[in-house]
Amino acid sequence: RHVLLCSNSRRLVGETIILNYIYITMLFRCMAALAVLAAAAPTCEAFSTNPTPLATKPSSTQRMPKKSALFMGPPTDPSAPATDLYGEGSRKYRRTVYTHDQWVKHRSPDRFVNNLSTLFNSGIYKNVGKEVFATTSVAVFVCAWNMLVGGYQDLAGVTHDPIIQGEWAKVIGLPLQAFTTLSPSLGLLLAFRTNNSYKRWDEARKFWGLNINHTRDLNRMATAWYGHDGIPVDPALRAEHLRQVSLMTWAFVRSMKRHLSPPDEDEEDYIAEMKSRLTPEQADAIISAAHRPNRALYDLSVAIDRLPMHFMRKNEINKNLSIFEDTLGGSERLLSSPVPLFYSRHTARFLSTWLLLLPFALYGQFGDSWNHTAMIPATAFISVSLFGIEELATQLEEPFTILPMQGFCDKIGANCDEIVGWRGQGLDE
């Protein structure tokens, strides 16, 4: 009987060792899987100052064709470079202007299902992949360490003594009250950051709204007021004068768009468009100028000055040019002056530290789950949510590369060409 008991004890010990080995192996496999996911995640981190691109810059034959349409969506071409799916490359696919069809879809009762179905395709979440991996790794470490030094429960539900024992081997954790106390402050920082970034986007959109409105106003007045004092109007000369006003109006907004866009994205298209619509002398004068929008605005002033009309009416038309100067200067202010860097950096450091230490406080709160492991997905979810809010603010802070400025320019050009084709005061007589 004694021999039988000893044999059973040895068998139980052997089974326990095997179960422990299986469990630890599974744990390390999970950690390895997380490492693989991190390696595959985009390297354009939310808080990195010099992000490294995931792939080399695509050649001109690989780039997606430029679009002038007001509605733009994600790339559907399977040959599109990977850098167009997230990060800086994806910003040009966020330049959407809604029509009635898009608003119907936007209000659809299925919008929640549709948004959840594209959860893993979100560029915002992909951009914060490395940050989320870091916080989740801390949660895995806390679970693994506390199991090794504080005991654990195997897959069969049997509780075991600590594997690592010693005075220095202690269960680690932090009081949750510290994080609860700091939560309102963190929320205020994130809310202020997001609100100010949205205000910057809204201000930039209003600048372009003023451009659209006052380009129409300028060409409407030029067309309606052409000619005065009964002076005979040559239809061909009138058409040429008004055509120049329309062209120079378009040249200004197109130069402003180029002035606010990255050179590698728009320079070639800008030069091609200018040379295709303007005379070689006009195109070269604007392209070679140190400040292209100013030169285009000067040419527009000259075109207005050539119109045969009363000087009071010219003064009214020229008031629009002062508004163009204001929208241009305001846009340059937004482009050159971010939200104060010390505020953005403090928010990023506060958020990163708060989330990296959060697993230490969550460990005790998930005591009812198996070996406290429910804290790992909880940490990942909290990290995605909070890092995502900060990422939204960062993406909105510079608004011009997500505004459909090319669509605005095309719309302005088409509207102005149509307006100057109407009969004006001089021809009506």
Side-chain angles (χ1 to χ4, degrees):
R1 184 176 179 182
H2 178 71
V3 172
L4 182 60
L5 289 173
C6 292
S7 177
N8 290 336
S9 299
R10 285 195 297 269
R11 185 180 63 184
L12 289 173
V13 171
E15 291 177 353
T16 301
I17 293 174
I18 293 173
L19 287 173
N20 293 343
Y21 173 77
I22 294 173
Y23 176 74
I24 294 174
T25 302
M26 291 177 62
L27 182 63
F28 280 104
R29 284 182 177 178
C30 291
M31 296 178 66
L34 286 173
V36 172
L37 288 175
T43 58
C44 43
E45 304 174 41
F47 310 126
S48 60
T49 55
N50 295 309
T52 305
L54 184 66
T56 57
K57 183 178 179 181
S59 64
S60 58
T61 59
Q62 294 175 318
R63 287 186 299 176
M64 293 293 292
K66 302 271 191 276
K67 293 185 179 180
S68 297
L70 291 180
F71 178 76
M72 303 182 70
T76 56
D77 186 356
S79 63
T83 51
D84 277 6
L85 302 178
Y86 46 78
E88 287 298 314
S90 67
R91 290 179 68 83
K92 58 178 171 286
Y93 299 106
R94 303 181 188 275
R95 301 165 187 170
T96 303
V97 172
Y98 268 28
T99 61
H100 290 292
D101 293 337
Q102 279 77 50
W103 279 117
V104 170
K105 183 178 180 181
H106 184 75
R107 295 188 295 264
S108 170
D110 298 329
R111 61 187 181 274
F112 296 105
V113 176
N114 294 334
N115 289 334
L116 288 175
S117 65
T118 58
L119 181 67
F120 296 102
N121 296 327
S122 170
I124 295 295
Y125 299 155
K126 290 179 179 179
N127 272 8
V128 298
K130 299 199 80 173
E131 288 83 359
V132 175
F133 171 76
T135 57
T136 306
S137 299
V138 173
V140 172
F141 168 77
V142 171
C143 277
W145 175 260
N146 287 344
M147 283 188 292
L148 292 174
V149 302
Y152 61 95
Q153 187 182 67
D154 63 22
L155 298 176
V158 179
T159 302
H160 299 275
D161 293 332
I163 296 177
I164 301 176
Q165 298 182 3
E167 293 183 0
W168 56 271
K170 303 293 184 181
V171 173
I172 54 177
L174 290 172
L176 187 61
Q177 289 81 358
F179 295 85
T180 304
T181 303
L182 290 174
S183 294
S185 300
L186 179 59
L188 287 174
L189 283 173
L190 289 176
F192 180 86
R193 176 98 167 85
T194 307
N195 287 343
N196 277 275
S197 294
Y198 175 77
K199 287 179 182 177
R200 291 168 60 86
W201 178 90
D202 186 56
E203 189 175 7
R205 180 61 183 89
K206 287 176 179 177
F207 286 149
W208 277 95
L210 285 173
N211 283 344
I212 293 173
N213 295 344
H214 288 277
T215 52
R216 294 169 178 169
D217 193 40
L218 184 155
N219 284 267
R220 173 188 58 80
M221 289 189 290
T223 303
W225 292 346
Y226 190 92
H228 67 95
D229 297 334
I231 300 175
V233 173
D234 181 0
L237 184 60
R238 173 187 181 274
E240 177 59 22
H241 281 168
L242 293 179
R243 188 181 73 87
Q244 285 297 316
V245 172
S246 176
L247 276 178
M248 291 303 107
T249 303
W250 169 84
F252 164 70
V253 294
R254 187 61 183 88
S255 298
M256 179 174 170
K257 188 261 181 184
R258 168 62 195 88
H259 188 63
L260 301 172
S261 301
D264 57 346
E265 177 186 323
D266 195 40
E267 180 68 15
E268 293 181 4
D269 291 342
Y270 170 75
I271 294 176
E273 289 182 42
M274 297 297 285
K275 289 185 175 180
S276 67
R277 297 198 62 176
L278 305 180
T279 64
E281 294 78 12
Q282 290 174 329
D284 291 341
I286 296 176
I287 293 172
S288 61
H291 195 286
R292 292 166 173 174
N294 278 345
R295 173 64 201 217
L297 203 57
Y298 165 78
D299 289 343
L300 177 57
S301 298
V302 173
I304 293 172
D305 190 60
R306 290 176 181 157
L307 300 178
M309 64 177 61
H310 195 276
F311 75 93
M312 294 294 290
R313 290 182 169 179
K314 287 184 181 181
N315 289 343
E316 288 298 317
I317 295 177
N318 278 308
K319 289 180 180 179
N320 292 289
L321 274 61
S322 298
I323 295 175
F324 295 156
E325 288 281 10
D326 291 339
T327 61
L328 175 61
S331 297
E332 290 175 331
R333 168 176 53 82
L334 291 177
L335 184 64
S336 61
S337 304
V339 173
L341 294 179
F342 54 82
Y343 184 92
S344 301
R345 289 170 180 169
H346 176 69
T347 303
R349 290 163 182 159
F350 188 175
L351 176 61
S352 301
T353 306
W354 195 88
L355 286 173
L356 286 170
L357 296 178
L358 183 63
F360 294 92
L362 291 180
Y363 180 80
Q365 305 301 314
F366 287 89
D368 294 335
S369 63
W370 181 68
N371 288 318
H372 303 251
T373 51
M375 63 171 284
I376 297 176
T379 300
F381 176 75
I382 296 172
S383 300
V384 168
S385 301
L386 294 183
F387 277 132
I389 294 174
E390 208 283 337
E391 178 67 14
L392 286 174
T394 303
Q395 293 294 328
L396 283 171
E397 188 175 1
E398 189 276 285
F400 299 106
T401 49
I402 56 175
L403 280 175
M405 295 189 294
Q406 182 65 48
F408 295 155
C409 294
D410 294 343
K411 184 178 182 180
I412 289 171
N415 289 342
C416 292
D417 288 344
E418 180 186 21
I419 291 172
V420 298
W422 298 335
R423 292 174 60 86
Q425 173 179 300
L427 288 184
D428 291 337
E429 296 177 354

